Amino acid sequence: GGSGSQPSLYTYRYVPTVSVVSPNVGPTAGGTTITVTGNYFVAGATTVTVGGAAASSVNVASQWSLTAVTPAGSAGAATVSVTTIGGTGSLASAFTYRAPPTVTQVTPNVGSTGGDTPITVTGTNFVNGATTVTVGGASATSVNVTSSTSLTAVTPTGTAGSANVVVSVAGGG
C-alpha cells in the first residue's frame, strides 16, 4: 500500500510587515488617505487599523503597497497594523493624530487697514513649523509659534470692518 500522503491543502502565508506610512499625520476627525508600504499584503484579504480602529477604503495595490482612509482617533501617536490571513504586522507611532487648533483671543484686536500690525493669538493645538494664520482670508506674515497655546504674527492689509482670524495646522485641519 501507499504512504497515505495527499496533495497539500494547506498554504502558509507570510506575516505582513509595515515599514512606512505616508502621510504620517492627520486630523483627529480621520479621513486622511494614507499609503502604507511594507510586504506580504494580500488583495481582498487585508484589513488595516490605526490606533486600534478600522480604516476604511482599504485598497491593496501590490504585495508591497496599499492605501486606506484613517478613522477618527485621539490626538497623539497611533500604531498602524495590517492583518492578512498570515497574521498581523504593526508599526508603532506610525501615524500621528493632530487635534484642530482653536482661537480664543487676538491681542490687539484692532489695527490699520494697511496691515503690519503685530498680533498675539491665544488658543490651543498650535504646532511650530506647521501653523498658518489668515486674517480676513489673507495670509498673515512672520508667524511664530511660541507654544501650543500662543503665537505671534503680523497682519496683512485688509478692508475696514471685522475680519476672522483663522489658525490652520498642516495635517490637523
Side-chain angles (χ1 to χ4, degrees):
S3 66
S5 89
Q6 293 285 327
S8 172
L9 298 176
Y10 185 83
T11 303
Y12 285 97
R13 294 278 188 188
Y14 288 106
V15 175
T17 60
V18 177
S19 53
V20 177
V21 176
S22 179
N24 62 358
V25 64
T28 53
T32 302
T33 299
I34 56 173
T35 298
V36 179
T37 306
N39 205 353
Y40 309 118
F41 303 158
V42 181
T46 298
T47 58
V48 177
T49 61
V50 181
S56 59
S57 304
V58 176
N59 180 30
V60 177
S62 71
Q63 83 171 48
W64 305 281
S65 179
L66 63 81
T67 58
V69 177
T70 60
S74 302
T79 297
V80 174
S81 298
V82 174
T83 302
T84 68
I85 196 164
T88 300
S90 299
L91 183 60
S93 301
F95 187 83
T96 300
Y97 282 108
R98 283 195 181 145
T102 62
V103 175
T104 55
Q105 185 178 6
V106 179
T107 309
N109 62 1
V110 176
S112 164
T113 57
D116 290 332
T117 302
I119 58 172
T120 299
V121 180
T122 306
T124 62
N125 303 316
F126 302 160
V127 178
N128 195 25
T131 300
T132 57
V133 178
T134 61
V135 180
S139 293
T141 57
S142 303
V143 176
N144 180 31
V145 176
T146 54
S147 74
S148 65
T149 60
S150 181
L151 63 81
T152 59
V154 176
T155 62
T157 58
T159 12
S162 296
N164 286 332
V165 175
V166 177
V167 175
S168 299
V169 174

